[in-house]
Amino acid sequence: MPSSQGALAKFARDTVSPIDTSSTGMELVSFGITETVEHLQTNGIRGTRSLSKERNREGLKRVGGPITWHPSPLDLDFFLPCILGAAENADAFAVDEALTSFVMGVDLVADAFEYGDLFVNKATFRGAAGQLVELTLDCIGEAKTDLSYPSLTLGVAAGDVPYRFFEGVLTLESSAREMESFELTIDNQLATLFRNSQTATAISPQNRIVMLTVETPYTSSEVGLNTAAFAGAAGSLVFTNGNMSTTFTFGNLQLNPKTTPVVNGKSEIVQRLTYQAFRSGSTREIAVTSDSTA
């Protein structure tokens, strides 16, 4: 019998269990969500250095891991509420104190599983010259069950096309800036609780840490970015494909940490700028507008 090949794996998402024919199939780069069963054993004095299997017990069952893919505007319609918290309101996605959970199904060829009550611990958007924009969701969940994987067709709608890096426009200090790469992270800092249960009983977000790292040229046009006022300023990152667009708007971006450029050989000197986004008055640290209509 041939081994299970990653190329033949299948993935699906949904808002609720179970994964079935009404769920949405996905194309992923990698799937790292798994269930890990911890091992508990005694470590007492027993008159020997040998450990006895009879004293071992199963510990906590933890569910979580990353998924990575090139998201489309339709994907973002589904996942932005899971990343930020609030439901879509006329293409606008705002942060909220609570988070929305989701369900993932995976067909591993030899077997299939459903991972339920998944929450986004950290979302990382990244891109570089010549690449598609990529998204990694580090997830924490409550349950894994066996699954009879349904027959699903991958989306072919116009809104299912991923963004290219060069379709992005970065605005810092009120001016559009050239960039070599970017990485945007939204860290919900989830705490997992196990109350009288082998599996998670509650998954609670703590702080929301939003970081934006960009690599720009270091010329007279950009040198001022590195010496910007400590108070920071608003900024945005916008991707546009025809009528479709996704805009990340930051309430206040402050360099954290502020570092000067280095010289890595004879190539062009660039600066790596790391910003932390903060709430400014009533303006939240991040808000997203995403239009998936082609």
Side-chain angles (χ1 to χ4, degrees):
M1 179 179 295
S3 61
S4 299
Q5 299 295 316
L8 301 180
K10 300 173 186 176
F11 313 98
R13 67 172 186 250
D14 211 327
T15 55
V16 294
S17 178
I19 294 291
D20 56 24
T21 53
S22 66
S23 304
T24 301
M26 294 182 66
E27 175 187 338
L28 298 184
V29 172
S30 63
F31 183 92
I33 297 176
T34 186
E35 179 188 68
T36 301
V37 182
E38 297 178 354
H39 194 144
L40 301 177
Q41 61 185 50
T42 60
N43 191 30
I45 300 169
R46 60 186 65 83
T48 176
R49 293 189 295 115
S50 298
L51 301 177
S52 300
K53 74 177 183 65
E54 290 82 6
R55 300 281 286 171
N56 296 341
R57 301 296 305 276
E58 272 193 1
L60 299 179
K61 293 183 178 181
R62 299 182 184 271
V63 171
I67 57 173
T68 298
W69 80 107
H70 305 294
S72 68
L74 283 176
D75 290 332
L76 296 179
D77 281 351
F78 180 90
F79 281 105
L80 281 171
C82 304
I83 297 170
L84 301 175
E88 178 182 358
N89 181 12
D91 292 337
F93 299 84
V95 297
D96 199 359
E97 303 311 320
L99 294 176
T100 300
S101 65
F102 64 102
V103 179
M104 287 293 297
V106 55
D107 181 349
L108 297 172
V109 184
D111 206 349
F113 303 114
E114 177 180 297
Y115 295 94
D117 294 321
L118 291 168
F119 292 86
V120 176
N121 183 41
K122 179 188 287 188
T124 303
F125 296 85
R126 62 174 66 88
Q131 298 179 5
L132 295 171
V133 174
E134 185 178 85
L135 172 58
T136 295
L137 298 182
D138 176 37
C139 306
I140 297 176
E142 296 183 3
K144 183 217 78 173
T145 56
D146 292 332
L147 174 66
S148 178
Y149 197 86
S151 177
L152 297 172
T153 301
L154 290 179
V156 292
D160 251 342
V161 178
Y163 291 113
R164 296 170 290 186
F165 173 76
F166 63 76
E167 292 173 322
V169 175
L170 171 69
T171 299
L172 296 171
E173 299 288 332
S174 302
S175 296
R177 309 289 182 173
E178 292 183 349
M179 61 177 174
E180 295 277 347
S181 64
F182 82 93
E183 182 174 282
L184 167 61
T185 63
I186 302 165
D187 187 350
N188 289 311
Q189 298 193 328
L190 298 182
T192 307
L193 303 178
F194 296 83
R195 296 192 178 108
N196 302 94
S197 175
Q198 190 178 19
T199 57
T201 56
I203 299 174
S204 304
Q206 301 179 82
N207 288 331
R208 182 188 301 107
I209 307 297
V210 179
M211 304 294 295
L212 174 66
T213 299
V214 294
E215 196 170 72
T216 75
Y218 191 63
T219 69
S220 57
S221 298
E222 292 86 19
V223 67
L225 293 174
N226 191 263
T227 58
F230 178 79
S236 66
L237 180 60
V238 183
F239 290 90
T240 304
N241 175 17
N243 293 327
M244 297 178 293
S245 65
T246 300
T247 300
F248 300 92
T249 303
F250 307 100
N252 178 268
L253 289 173
Q254 297 183 11
L255 287 169
N256 182 18
K258 181 184 289 188
T259 58
T260 53
V262 298
V263 179
N264 290 316
K266 298 180 179 180
S267 58
E268 179 186 17
I269 297 175
V270 298
Q271 60 182 350
R272 187 173 176 83
L273 302 168
T274 299
Y275 295 93
Q276 184 170 350
F278 293 92
R279 178 173 177 166
S280 178
S282 62
T283 303
R284 295 293 191 131
E285 57 271 35
I286 186 171
V288 184
T289 301
S290 190
D291 185 350
S292 61
T293 304

